[in-house]
Amino acid sequence: QVQLVESGGGLVQPGGSLRLSCAASGIIFSIYHMDWYRQAPGKQRELVAHITSGGITNTVESVKGRFTISRDNAKNTVYLQMNSLKPDDTAVYYCHAMWGSGNYWGQGTQVTVSS
């Protein structure tokens, strides 16, 4: 049974930082490409950051320079370090794993940026 479990969300003031974690089980984590998506109220789910199985990363323009994706294959975990958070970053953040026909989602973790 595949599980992706996100953690690390919460309430933070503008300019603050959070680190999200996504622990995977039931898959050969090291071969999967991993993503972080987010969905704000009333908006479509959007890709935030991507890391390949080989560790190549990419982030969308709106978070470039503020968010960093990384992975620890020994811990079957992918991370999203979020700095200089803005109210527009408020959303539910989802972890996503993809390889071949495998396509899995976590349950999401809420991030709220507010003073």
Side-chain angles (χ1 to χ4, degrees), residues 96-111:
H96 175 246
M98 182 175 63
W99 180 78
S101 61
N103 187 357
Y104 305 105
W105 292 90
Q107 82 288 350
T109 185
Q110 176 71 46
V111 171

Side-chain angles (χ1 to χ4, degrees), residues 5-10 19-23 36 77-78 80 93 107-109:
V5 180
E6 299 100 333
S7 61
R19 188 176 82 154
L20 306 183
S21 300
C22 171
W36 284 98
T77 300
V78 62
L80 185 67
Y93 284 71
Q107 82 288 350
T109 185

Side-chain angles (χ1 to χ4, degrees), residues 14 42 70 100 102:
S70 61

Side-chain angles (χ1 to χ4, degrees), residues 53-71:
S53 58
I56 297 172
T57 64
N58 193 23
T59 52
V60 297
E61 194 61 34
S62 60
V63 306
K64 205 173 288 287
R66 300 189 297 122
F67 290 11
T68 303
I69 188 171
S70 61
R71 65 190 298 160

